[in-house]
Every structure is written in structure tokens, then in C-alpha cells.
Amino acid sequence: MPTCDWCGSENAKESSNTVFWELPDGTKAIGITGTPCVSCGDCGMEYQTEETVKGIEDQLFLINTKQLEKQLTYAELMGKPRLLKRNYFDFSS
């Protein structure tokens, strides 16, 4: 069971929600339903972990976003074929 990053509560759980994301080229924003999140029963926050955020950002950078739907599920987004195998411009790791 995760601990809430906002209030430190042990009353947090894994869940999913809808997020809106701006594409890397800034041309539009998309809605991503069913996105994994942490939901806190004490403070009410719902947020994505750093791993989920990095996964979404990498995927949006590596796929052809020109024909991307305005709304899709997290599973559909992560299942889109990549133009590159990995993000060669990410020097954080």
C-alpha cells in the first residue's frame, strides 16, 4: 500500500483516473483515461507517480502524435507503436 506523497498518510491506494496531457510539440492536449494514480483517502489527492509521468512523457515523445486521438485510454496510448526504441534524449538515468 503506497504512502501519500502529499500528506504522508498510510490511507492511500492505487487507483486510476483521467489526466490531460499537452503533446511534446505543443500542438494540442489529449485526455488519457484509466491512467494509474495514487488516491489518498485522507487528503483527497489523486496524482501520478514519477514513473507513470515519465512513462507517458517518453511514450508521447516516441510515437507519431500527428494522428493521435483527442482521448484514449492509458493502455491504448502505451500500446501505440514507437518510432524509436527508447528516448535517446533523456539523460536523467
Side-chain angles (χ1 to χ4, degrees), residues 10-23:
E10 300 282 329
N11 193 18
K13 63 179 181 173
E14 293 179 3
S15 187
S16 65
N17 63 4
T18 298
V19 296
F20 297 91
W21 223 272
E22 185 177 349
L23 298 183

Side-chain angles (χ1 to χ4, degrees), residues 21-67:
W21 223 272
E22 185 177 349
L23 298 183
D25 63 5
T27 56
K28 66 180 176 181
I30 59 169
I32 309 168
T33 61
T35 306
C37 73
V38 175
S39 178
C40 180
D42 287 339
C43 71
M45 286 300 291
E46 288 187 344
Y47 60 92
Q48 277 60 47
T49 63
E50 288 183 32
E51 294 81 19
T52 300
V53 170
K54 182 167 178 8
I56 291 171
E57 289 179 350
D58 281 350
Q59 184 69 351
L60 288 174
F61 188 74
L62 297 172
I63 65 174
N64 180 0
T65 59
K66 298 291 184 216
Q67 298 174 349

